[in-house]
Amino acid sequence: MLDTIQHRFSLLEPYITAYGPSDTVSRPAVLLFHACNGVRHHIHDYARQVATLGYRAYVIDSFLPRGWDHTAAMSLVCSGLALHGYERSGDVLAAIWGLAQRPEVDASTLILAGWSHGGWSIMDLMTQKLTRPGEARLENGSPEPMKGVKGVFLVYPYINFPARSNTHGWEYRPKTQAVLARQDFLTAHSHADHIFNHLKSEGVPVERLDLEATHCFDEDSALHFGPLMAYDKASHKKTEMAFEAFILDVFRGA
């Protein structure tokens, strides 16, 4: 049975962490979507970075609403057994819809930011018209909330099979920044290069930051698995700088 967009947001809402000024002034907002290993400390750090610029940020946890802890996330989602990007794209749409109802959020000026699986989910959402029941695994998805999405920021997004951007164009064309790791073992840099060049040729305004780093290079964690996912301070800093520049560019130009 499919969720309605309202029900999906009601499941997510208790697990959304908000950052930003402690007032009710309507402000642009960044919605952050974590990787397959769940919400890690660096996602909160990026959200705090948004807040220091005077905007709002919301970290959306897709796993706790489903009763999954870190171990479950690693065994189910990182393995590909559960919650592919197409299904989680309903979380992205529901979060946009639900947060847009809040008076302190300027629903006309939003950025979606995703890391790895979160990037996959955002990209899958971009490929859907959202005009028929079942898209994004929702009963009543709608393209209406997408009107406020002015930017997409993607960090080492997963774009291997079965990511829809391999075979589908994007229905929406927000300003997009892709941060790609040249030693990414989950999505070969050459493949990511092909996908984003194709999107750009189709009219998506894509900019790139290509780094000499691995997947998850911005997570300084003992949970990494050797050289395949190694923390790189310099690349992390470059990503933070690119994130700030992108936010200011999108929000000040909106």
Side-chain angles (χ1 to χ4, degrees):
M1 185 174 180
L2 297 174
D3 288 338
T4 64
I5 196 170
Q6 295 86 349
H7 181 63
R8 182 70 66 85
F9 182 68
S10 74
L11 297 176
L12 295 170
E13 189 171 20
Y15 303 97
I16 295 176
T17 306
Y19 293 88
S22 56
D23 55 37
T24 58
V25 175
S26 178
R27 300 176 188 271
V30 181
L31 282 58
L32 296 88
F33 297 88
H34 58 79
C36 74
N37 60 345
V39 178
R40 311 300 296 167
H41 65 85
H42 67 305
I43 302 298
H44 290 292
D45 290 341
Y46 282 108
R48 294 185 187 98
Q49 185 180 357
V50 177
T52 63
L53 298 175
Y55 302 112
R56 303 199 186 282
Y58 297 90
V59 176
I60 292 94
D61 192 325
S62 285
F63 296 166
L64 289 181
R66 293 174 166 87
W68 297 340
D69 60 10
H70 174 75
T71 301
M74 293 291 289
S75 61
L76 293 173
V77 185
C78 292
S79 67
L81 294 176
L83 199 68
H84 284 185
Y86 182 74
E87 181 178 356
R88 191 177 172 205
S89 70
D91 288 19
V92 180
L93 185 63
I96 299 167
W97 176 88
L99 291 169
Q101 313 304 312
R102 297 185 178 182
E104 68 270 23
V105 174
D106 178 357
S108 71
T109 316
L110 304 174
I111 289 173
L112 306 179
W115 284 256
S116 191
H117 193 286
W120 173 15
S121 304
I122 292 169
M123 292 179 72
D124 268 23
L125 182 63
M126 292 294 136
T127 68
Q128 301 173 64
K129 292 183 178 180
L130 303 170
T131 55
R132 58 181 177 79
E135 288 186 288
R137 293 289 188 266
L138 294 172
E139 181 181 309
N140 61 340
S142 165
E144 189 65 25
M146 300 298 293
K147 292 179 179 179
V149 177
K150 297 299 191 291
V152 167
F153 190 84
L154 305 164
V155 186
Y156 43 79
Y158 177 84
I159 330 175
N160 266 334
F161 176 83
R164 287 172 57 91
S165 290
N166 289 305
T167 54
H168 296 73
W170 283 16
E171 299 292 333
Y172 314 93
R173 288 171 168 74
K175 187 171 291 187
T176 299
Q177 171 88 57
V179 180
L180 305 178
R182 293 188 183 277
Q183 283 82 49
D184 195 326
F185 79 105
L186 287 177
T187 298
H189 182 268
S190 58
H191 181 66
D193 176 72
H194 169 74
I195 295 298
F196 283 107
N197 284 341
H198 181 69
L199 289 172
K200 191 166 188 176
S201 74
E202 291 194 330
V204 179
V206 176
E207 297 297 331
R208 294 256 299 272
L209 173 61
D210 298 86
L211 299 172
E212 295 297 336
T214 68
H215 198 77
C216 285
F217 63 78
D218 55 348
E219 184 184 348
D220 189 5
S221 170
L223 297 173
H224 283 178
F225 303 99
L228 293 179
M229 291 193 289
Y231 177 68
D232 186 88
K233 185 176 181 179
S235 294
H236 187 181
K237 183 64 176 177
K238 289 177 182 178
T239 304
E240 289 179 328
M241 292 172 63
F243 190 43
E244 178 172 330
F246 183 76
I247 291 166
L248 294 176
D249 180 48
V250 171
F251 287 165
R252 290 178 178 176

